Short mmCIF file of all heavy atoms in Angstrom, two decimals:
data_model
loop_
_atom_site.label_atom_id
_atom_site.label_comp_id
_atom_site.label_asym_id
_atom_site.label_seq_id
_atom_site.Cartn_x
_atom_site.Cartn_y
_atom_site.Cartn_z
N SER A 244 46.86 9.83 -58.73
CA SER A 244 46.93 8.88 -57.61
C SER A 244 47.00 9.69 -56.31
O SER A 244 47.72 10.66 -56.23
CB SER A 244 48.15 7.97 -57.71
OG SER A 244 48.00 7.15 -58.87
N ARG A 253 50.35 2.96 -45.95
CA ARG A 253 49.82 3.94 -46.91
C ARG A 253 48.60 3.36 -47.62
O ARG A 253 48.71 2.33 -48.25
CB ARG A 253 50.92 4.32 -47.94
CG ARG A 253 52.07 5.02 -47.25
CD ARG A 253 53.02 5.68 -48.23
NE ARG A 253 52.44 6.85 -48.86
CZ ARG A 253 52.30 8.02 -48.27
NH1 ARG A 253 52.67 8.19 -47.01
NH2 ARG A 253 51.80 9.04 -48.90
N SER A 276 30.08 2.91 -51.48
CA SER A 276 30.75 3.66 -50.45
C SER A 276 32.21 3.15 -50.25
O SER A 276 32.41 1.95 -50.28
CB SER A 276 29.95 3.45 -49.16
OG SER A 276 30.52 4.18 -48.13
N CYS A 278 34.68 3.86 -52.39
CA CYS A 278 35.39 3.70 -53.69
C CYS A 278 36.29 4.88 -54.01
O CYS A 278 37.03 4.80 -55.01
CB CYS A 278 34.35 3.51 -54.81
SG CYS A 278 33.70 1.84 -54.82
N SER A 286 39.51 16.58 -54.14
CA SER A 286 40.83 16.92 -54.70
C SER A 286 40.67 17.82 -55.92
O SER A 286 41.59 18.61 -56.22
CB SER A 286 41.59 15.64 -55.07
OG SER A 286 41.03 15.04 -56.23
N GLU A 296 47.97 12.78 -49.76
CA GLU A 296 49.06 13.31 -50.62
C GLU A 296 48.79 12.88 -52.04
O GLU A 296 48.40 11.72 -52.29
CB GLU A 296 50.38 12.71 -50.12
CG GLU A 296 51.58 13.25 -50.85
CD GLU A 296 52.81 12.34 -50.68
OE1 GLU A 296 52.69 11.24 -50.10
OE2 GLU A 296 53.87 12.75 -51.16
N LYS A 315 47.04 30.40 -52.19
CA LYS A 315 46.36 31.58 -52.68
C LYS A 315 45.62 31.31 -53.98
O LYS A 315 44.47 31.67 -54.19
CB LYS A 315 47.34 32.71 -52.85
CG LYS A 315 46.65 33.99 -53.30
CD LYS A 315 47.57 35.14 -53.53
CE LYS A 315 46.80 36.32 -54.16
NZ LYS A 315 46.10 35.98 -55.40
N VAL A 339 26.44 30.14 -36.66
CA VAL A 339 26.23 31.31 -35.82
C VAL A 339 26.18 32.63 -36.63
O VAL A 339 26.20 33.70 -36.06
CB VAL A 339 27.27 31.43 -34.69
CG1 VAL A 339 27.15 30.23 -33.76
CG2 VAL A 339 28.70 31.52 -35.25
N ARG A 370 15.40 32.31 -56.41
CA ARG A 370 15.55 31.46 -57.55
C ARG A 370 15.58 29.94 -57.17
O ARG A 370 15.12 29.10 -57.90
CB ARG A 370 16.85 31.81 -58.30
CG ARG A 370 17.16 30.97 -59.51
CD ARG A 370 16.07 31.10 -60.55
NE ARG A 370 16.09 30.00 -61.51
CZ ARG A 370 15.48 28.84 -61.36
NH1 ARG A 370 14.79 28.58 -60.28
NH2 ARG A 370 15.54 27.92 -62.32
N CYS A 438 27.06 26.02 -66.26
CA CYS A 438 28.27 25.54 -65.60
C CYS A 438 28.33 24.00 -65.82
O CYS A 438 27.35 23.38 -66.13
CB CYS A 438 28.23 25.85 -64.12
SG CYS A 438 26.83 25.20 -63.23
N ALA A 439 29.56 23.48 -65.63
CA ALA A 439 29.71 22.02 -65.63
C ALA A 439 29.44 21.54 -64.20
O ALA A 439 29.65 22.30 -63.26
CB ALA A 439 31.10 21.64 -66.07
N LEU A 486 26.04 -3.53 -60.43
CA LEU A 486 25.38 -2.41 -59.78
C LEU A 486 23.98 -2.17 -60.34
O LEU A 486 23.02 -1.92 -59.64
CB LEU A 486 26.18 -1.12 -59.96
CG LEU A 486 27.31 -0.76 -59.01
CD1 LEU A 486 27.80 0.62 -59.36
CD2 LEU A 486 26.84 -0.80 -57.58
N ARG A 499 11.87 -8.24 -50.75
CA ARG A 499 11.96 -7.48 -49.53
C ARG A 499 13.39 -7.06 -49.25
O ARG A 499 13.65 -6.02 -48.65
CB ARG A 499 11.49 -8.30 -48.34
CG ARG A 499 9.99 -8.37 -48.23
CD ARG A 499 9.57 -9.39 -47.21
NE ARG A 499 8.23 -9.04 -46.79
CZ ARG A 499 7.92 -8.19 -45.83
NH1 ARG A 499 8.86 -7.65 -45.12
NH2 ARG A 499 6.67 -7.94 -45.53
N GLN A 516 47.15 -7.67 -56.93
CA GLN A 516 47.64 -7.66 -58.31
C GLN A 516 46.45 -7.91 -59.25
O GLN A 516 45.43 -8.42 -58.79
CB GLN A 516 48.58 -8.85 -58.43
CG GLN A 516 49.82 -8.56 -59.23
CD GLN A 516 50.52 -9.89 -59.58
OE1 GLN A 516 50.25 -10.94 -58.99
NE2 GLN A 516 51.42 -9.82 -60.50
N HIS A 537 43.52 -2.13 -68.64
CA HIS A 537 43.48 -0.70 -68.90
C HIS A 537 42.09 -0.34 -69.39
O HIS A 537 41.34 -1.17 -69.83
CB HIS A 537 44.51 -0.32 -69.98
CG HIS A 537 45.88 -0.65 -69.53
ND1 HIS A 537 46.54 0.08 -68.58
CD2 HIS A 537 46.72 -1.64 -69.87
CE1 HIS A 537 47.73 -0.45 -68.35
NE2 HIS A 537 47.87 -1.50 -69.14
N GLU A 556 37.88 -9.42 -76.73
CA GLU A 556 37.05 -9.26 -77.92
C GLU A 556 37.83 -8.57 -79.03
O GLU A 556 37.30 -8.32 -80.11
CB GLU A 556 35.79 -8.48 -77.60
CG GLU A 556 34.78 -9.33 -76.78
CD GLU A 556 33.70 -8.45 -76.17
OE1 GLU A 556 33.50 -7.30 -76.65
OE2 GLU A 556 33.09 -8.91 -75.18
#
Side-chain angles (χ1 to χ4, degrees):
S244 296
R253 296 192 73 75
S276 181
C278 282
S286 72
E296 185 198 6
K315 182 181 173 305
V339 297
R370 178 63 198 87
C438 58
L486 273 186
R499 282 171 158 271
Q516 222 194 344
H537 299 287
E556 286 165 21

